């Protein structure tokens, strides 16, 4: 029996090792699959970067970080921003817009509207060298909105009242426990109109449009891709293939090598976007729309 054990030792030892360290081996195999280069091309650094702006814009930090990193990376010669977003909050939309403007001053930038490019996501895209819209995409909705619920009826039925101590006439702007007064609505209109003026002025400057004719291309109009091209909001119609070729042409690259987005990261982005929609439903804020 002892002889047989020694005879099969070269077989039993590896099996025993695998059984005892299965999780560690599995982890190492996954790492090899994920990070090992598949071919000679994957050993070369990519010279073209595709960045995604997907879902509602509530936080710009990740997209801005990617844009700024591409700006600093000497290997990256041009950037494609792929957009499918209904817009979102004002401040993060502007953060992305100005990050893209900084990038465009150094490298060619093309925006590809693959589904929806509206409101804040359009604002984020205006300083690209070219905007290419999928023929089936929706474009525009250049406007600003602030909304909130009036819960006073429900509160009365439940016997709930609010107690407030405040300093400043306008300190209760946007409260949900009563209807807004006329002077409060006027104050909010001042904010909305100021933001709208800024939005439309930047669109006019970036797209070389006449600001005095903004009702023609802004005013929260929603356009098909062809209609958006007719009013000057996009440069051409096409699919991603066309947008990529347009960028390659602008960058004058003979051997284009694109970055490959990690599938797990893409899944997490979609998950985050869904969470952002849910949060915004219950905690509305000033948004571009």
């Amino acid at each position: 029996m002892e002889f047989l054990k020694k005879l099969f030792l070269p077989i039993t030892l590896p099996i025993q090792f695998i059984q005892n360290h299965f999780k560690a081996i599995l982890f190492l195999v996954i790492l090899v699959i994920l990070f090992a280069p598949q071919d000679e091309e994957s050993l070369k650094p990519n010279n073209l970067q595709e960045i995604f702006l997907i879902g509602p814009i509530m936080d710009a930090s990740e997209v801005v970080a990617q844009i700024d990193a591409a700006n600093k990376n000497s290997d990256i010669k041009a950037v494609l921003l792929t957009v499918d977003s209904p817009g979102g909050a004002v401040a993060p939309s502007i953060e992305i817009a100005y990050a893209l403007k900084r990038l465009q001053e150094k490298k060619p930038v093309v925006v590809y509207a693959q589904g929806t490019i509206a409101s804040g996501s359009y604002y984020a895209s205006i300083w690209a060298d070219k905007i290419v819209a999928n023929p089936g995409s929706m474009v525009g909705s250049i406007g600003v909105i602030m909304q909130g619920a009036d819960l006073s009826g429900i509160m009365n039925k439940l016997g709930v009242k609010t107690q407030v101590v405040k300093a400043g006439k306008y300190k209760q702007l946007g409260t949900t426990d009563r209807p807004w007064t006329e002077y409060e609505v006027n104050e909010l209109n001042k904010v909305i109109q100021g933001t709208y003026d800024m939005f439309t002025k930047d669109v006019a400057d970036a797209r070389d449009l006449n600001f005095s004719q903004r009702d023609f291309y802004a005013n929260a109009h929603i356009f098909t891709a062809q209609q958006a091209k007719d009013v000057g909001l996009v440069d051409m119609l096409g699919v991603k293939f066309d947008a990529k070729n347009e960028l390659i042409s602008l960058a004058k690259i003979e051997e284009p090598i694109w970055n490959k987005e990690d599938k797990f990261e893409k899944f997490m982005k979609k998950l985050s976007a869904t969470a952002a929609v849910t949060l915004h439903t219950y905690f509305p804020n000033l948004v571009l729309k």
Side-chain angles (χ1 to χ4, degrees):
M1 183 64 68
E2 194 66 30
F3 172 76
L4 290 175
K5 285 183 179 181
K6 290 181 179 180
L7 181 64
F8 289 101
L9 199 59
I11 299 174
T12 57
L13 279 179
I15 293 175
Q16 187 177 3
F17 179 82
I18 292 172
Q19 289 175 336
N20 293 337
H21 303 85
F22 177 75
K23 291 182 179 180
I25 293 172
L26 182 61
F27 178 70
L28 289 174
V29 170
I30 292 173
L31 287 179
V32 170
I33 293 173
L34 287 176
F35 297 107
Q38 301 299 313
D39 49 42
E40 185 178 342
E41 184 177 286
S42 61
L43 294 172
K44 301 177 182 177
N46 58 293
N47 50 27
L48 295 170
Q49 181 87 15
E50 182 177 9
I51 298 173
F52 294 86
L53 178 56
I54 308 295
I57 303 172
M58 297 298 158
D59 177 21
S61 56
E62 183 179 350
V63 175
V64 169
Q66 291 180 57
I67 293 172
D68 287 342
N71 197 350
K72 296 174 183 177
N73 189 340
S74 60
D75 291 326
I76 303 299
K77 306 305 180 185
V79 170
L80 177 72
L81 180 67
T82 296
V83 179
D84 189 359
S85 166
V90 177
S93 299
I94 294 174
E95 287 281 356
I96 297 171
Y98 279 79
L100 204 71
K101 185 180 182 182
R102 292 192 299 271
L103 175 64
Q104 186 272 338
E105 289 170 353
K106 292 178 59 178
K107 304 176 183 184
V109 177
V110 169
V111 165
Y112 172 58
Q114 72 174 10
T116 300
I117 181 170
S119 192
S121 70
Y122 184 79
Y123 199 161
S125 307
I126 56 176
W127 273 291
D129 291 288
K130 287 194 176 181
I131 299 178
V132 180
N134 181 294
S137 61
M138 303 300 290
V139 186
S141 190
I142 298 173
V144 187
I145 187 172
M146 179 181 284
Q147 59 189 15
D150 177 6
L151 303 178
S152 57
I154 296 175
M155 292 174 66
N156 287 335
K157 287 182 180 180
L158 295 175
V160 177
K161 296 180 180 179
T162 58
Q163 300 181 91
V164 178
V165 177
K166 67 175 183 178
K169 179 180 179 180
Y170 299 101
K171 199 58 183 176
Q172 276 187 281
L173 283 178
T175 185
T176 60
D177 63 345
R178 57 179 174 77
W180 298 343
T181 65
E182 183 178 353
Y183 73 82
E184 288 175 322
V185 171
N186 291 336
E187 184 73 5
L188 291 172
N189 273 330
K190 183 176 69 175
V191 175
I192 296 296
Q193 192 59 48
T195 306
Y196 181 66
D197 289 343
M198 175 185 64
F199 189 176
T200 51
K201 180 66 166 58
D202 279 348
V203 170
D205 291 344
R207 297 291 306 169
D208 196 23
L209 298 172
N210 190 335
F211 179 72
S212 65
Q213 296 179 352
R214 64 180 179 175
D215 286 350
F216 185 57
Y217 55 83
N219 208 17
H221 287 301
I222 300 173
F223 301 103
T224 65
Q226 182 59 58
Q227 292 166 347
K229 183 176 182 296
D230 292 339
V231 300
L233 293 183
V234 304
D235 297 290
M236 60 179 283
L237 273 59
V239 293
K240 184 177 283 191
F241 175 85
D242 303 306
K244 285 187 170 184
N245 281 342
E246 193 67 25
L247 186 66
I248 292 168
S249 176
L250 286 173
K252 298 180 174 59
I253 293 177
E254 295 182 358
E255 187 181 355
I257 303 175
W258 290 90
N259 65 306
K260 296 178 181 178
E261 188 182 36
D262 183 82
K263 291 182 179 179
F264 179 74
E265 287 184 5
K266 196 171 184 180
F267 168 75
M268 291 304 295
K269 286 178 187 176
K270 290 185 178 180
L271 192 63
S272 298
T274 303
V277 172
T278 305
L279 287 172
H280 184 64
T281 302
Y282 294 101
F283 302 98
N285 199 352
L286 178 66
V287 297
L288 298 172
K289 193 172 184 179

